[in-house]
Amino acid sequence: MRPRSEKHQGRPDTKREEPFRPRKPAPQGQGKPDTRNLGPRAIALDAVGEVFSGKAPLDHAIASHPDHNRLEVRDRAFARAIAAAAVRRKGALEAALAVFLDKPLPQTADRGRHVLLCGAAELLVLDNAPHAVVDAWVTLMNADEKTARFAGLANAVLRRVSERGRGAFDGADPLADLPDWLAARWAKTYGEKTARAMARARAGVPPLDLTPRPGIDAGKLAGDLGGELLPTGSIRLEDAGDPTLLPGFAEGRWWVQDAAAALPARLLGPKPGERIADLCAAPGGKTLQIAASGAETFAIDRAKKRLPPVHENLERVALNAHVEAADATQWTPDAPLDAVLLDAPCSATGTLRRRPDVAWAKEEADIASLAEVQSRLLDAAFAMLKPGGRLVYCTCSLEPEEGEDQIAAFLERTGSARLDPVKPGELPELETAIDSQGAVRTRPDMWASLGGLDGFYIARIVKG
């Protein structure tokens, strides 16, 4: 294989990666200074391999890497930035690389492909200095006995990408960054124009959204943080860095929560003295919203290992809730509830701005199996309500089977349930997200001038 100067249309396969067998000492070995920042890059490379082989989510792959804790905070952030860029912009990066390759690397050379992908991500997404980037990734290519034979290729291709790869990268179809099955679904469901807008909106690094604690002057808090108060009450920050270092975190004046994720609890309208359950509650953002209203709050999640953040967040913001590890389809309150919020487990395709690896962790068949779980949870949640009680069902999915179709089937089989339409005034500057039935469908391309938001489906139901 040799570099070439004509565009190649094929896309490399990403089959399961083979174990890394170093042929040289590790980049940070023997206490020598990591003058070329090889440590963070090596971690990013391994994490990308974990994601595309289906072994681990991106953040887990990085945090569980044996060298992760040896890095300074800024280097950990650097490792994640590289890996996230490579995963998020995979299709466009491959298009730029293909221009300078005679043919893709062989199927047995996954790690070599990932070296090129990460190097191109630094050059075209992060815009890092070309000389340092090329030198570092050629060194890492040469450090593995299975990829060392591609070191010369990496040197030539990455140099050409840095000089002439921008056009192919910028001109790539945004849908190429997604798995083929997901791109096809979005095009069929939303039309190609909207699907491309959605894919383009999830291609950039998202801002940080915060939910201010009730009683806090949100406008003043936004000013103190250098952020923007969004129409629905969230605060949005650009380039915020580590949120735990921001003013007001330790004092519990706010918590991290995407603006779209904050909508279900707001549309539920919890009131002081009500008894409300948050089902599938972890990590607890919606639990905090409900508890902050003064309602008696029950936070239920099946996975006990996911509950510590719920406890920690409640303690930090000085709020109370009954937190319990239980299967929501089996859990029964001691008396009928005033309201239930069900944030059902789903494919999470609406969260790709923040979690780009989710697209590669799912398969199309997962949607049908998740829809079955959602159906059981809906029936169980509705049974917990007293007459006149209200249920808000939501998923962070863009797939109709987990949203519109799910609620249509539920209403058809449940005679005592009726949809309570969301009114335009409840969603300022998001009125177009309300569908003809009065449910809510947010998409990544909405609020484009404000930085977009996650994809959610939200339906409010009343028990007759």
Side-chain angles (χ1 to χ4, degrees):
M1 281 145 300
R2 60 186 185 279
R4 76 173 202 181
S5 58
E6 296 179 4
K7 185 171 181 179
H8 182 273
Q9 297 296 325
R11 293 176 60 188
D13 288 339
T14 51
K15 297 186 180 296
R16 184 168 293 274
E17 183 169 343
E18 297 185 15
F20 171 48
R21 295 182 176 85
R23 66 197 291 267
K24 295 185 177 182
Q28 292 178 296
Q30 301 178 2
K32 295 180 180 179
D34 186 13
T35 56
R36 289 179 292 185
N37 244 11
L38 294 179
R41 290 177 166 111
I43 290 175
L45 176 60
D46 287 344
V48 167
E50 294 279 288
V51 168
F52 289 136
S53 67
K55 293 179 181 177
L58 176 62
D59 287 330
H60 180 270
I62 291 174
S64 63
H65 194 284
D67 293 331
H68 179 261
N69 290 337
R70 303 178 188 177
L71 299 182
E72 296 180 3
V73 172
R74 66 178 182 179
D75 286 335
R76 295 178 188 180
F78 180 45
R80 192 191 188 282
I82 296 170
V87 173
R88 183 180 283 116
R89 302 306 317 276
K90 178 178 182 290
L93 293 169
E94 288 178 341
L97 289 165
V99 172
F100 307 108
L101 288 169
D102 275 331
K103 58 183 178 180
L105 272 64
Q107 293 185 1
T108 56
D110 284 349
R111 189 174 181 86
R113 279 197 294 272
H114 297 156
V115 167
L116 294 177
L117 195 68
C118 289
E122 273 206 70
L123 294 168
L124 299 174
V125 180
L126 303 184
D127 289 321
N128 290 336
H131 177 77
V133 171
V134 174
D135 180 60
W137 288 105
V138 170
T139 299
L140 287 171
M141 185 75 93
N142 198 41
D144 185 341
E145 62 184 15
K146 288 188 173 295
T147 61
R149 63 191 172 113
F150 303 121
L153 177 80
N155 181 63
V157 168
L158 291 177
R159 287 186 184 282
R160 292 176 185 177
V161 165
S162 72
E163 296 165 356
R164 305 194 300 277
R166 176 64 62 180
F169 176 77
D170 290 342
D173 185 344
L175 289 172
D177 287 330
L178 303 174
D180 291 342
W181 67 267
L182 185 57
R185 283 184 63 88
W186 285 9
K188 180 179 179 180
T189 301
Y190 298 100
E192 288 196 3
K193 181 179 179 180
T194 298
R196 284 193 171 88
M198 290 162 55
R200 190 177 295 111
R202 45 114 339 252
V205 178
L208 178 71
D209 292 347
L210 311 177
T211 296
R213 179 171 174 154
I216 297 289
D217 185 331
K220 183 179 184 304
L221 179 60
D224 292 343
L225 293 169
E228 179 179 7
L229 182 61
L230 298 177
T232 55
S234 296
I235 294 172
R236 175 156 290 181
L237 307 177
E238 299 286 346
D239 301 320
D242 184 350
T244 65
L245 302 179
L246 295 175
F249 174 83
E251 297 80 8
R253 301 178 67 200
W254 50 263
W255 53 88
V256 175
Q257 189 176 33
D258 185 83
L263 298 179
R266 288 176 178 155
L267 295 176
L268 183 70
K271 301 175 182 63
E274 288 188 323
R275 302 175 73 248
I276 301 176
D278 179 13
L279 305 182
C280 311
K286 299 174 184 65
T287 295
L288 297 180
Q289 289 178 280
I290 296 169
S293 73
E296 183 179 7
T297 307
F298 301 85
I300 310 300
D301 199 282
R302 181 175 183 176
K304 186 176 182 179
K305 64 182 181 180
R306 299 186 67 206
L307 290 178
V310 181
H311 289 290
E312 292 165 8
N313 285 323
L314 285 165
E315 182 178 0
R316 181 173 61 84
V317 300
L319 293 171
N320 296 308
H322 308 285
V323 182
E324 184 176 346
D327 184 337
T329 63
Q330 304 297 321
W331 181 79
T332 304
D334 56 7
L337 300 173
D338 295 288
V340 173
L341 193 156
L342 171 58
D343 185 359
C346 67
S347 61
T349 54
T351 68
L352 299 187
R353 295 187 316 143
R354 303 186 185 281
R355 301 171 57 200
D357 54 303
V358 165
W360 305 98
K362 305 290 184 181
E363 297 179 356
E364 189 164 17
D366 294 332
I367 295 171
S369 60
L370 286 164
E372 293 178 6
V373 174
Q374 294 152 11
S375 178
R376 295 196 299 270
L377 284 166
L378 261 171
D379 291 341
F382 192 73
M384 299 175 190
L385 294 173
K386 65 184 183 183
R390 58 202 189 278
L391 165 66
V392 164
Y393 168 84
C394 65
T395 58
C396 55
S397 166
L398 289 160
E399 315 316 310
E401 297 93 324
E402 301 179 278
E404 293 87 346
D405 297 352
Q406 188 66 252
I407 291 301
F410 171 75
L411 293 173
E412 184 175 348
R413 69 175 179 267
T414 312
S416 58
R418 64 176 177 83
L419 201 62
D420 180 15
V422 175
K423 302 174 181 62
E426 296 181 83
L427 291 180
E429 296 190 32
L430 267 180
E431 295 88 351
T432 57
I434 304 173
D435 67 20
S436 60
Q437 305 302 310
V440 176
R441 163 62 74 194
T442 64
R443 304 191 312 262
D445 59 310
M446 292 178 172
W447 273 359
S449 63
L450 297 173
L453 74 169
D454 282 357
F456 260 81
Y457 177 82
I458 310 166
R460 187 169 60 195
I461 297 164
V462 174
K463 188 170 189 177

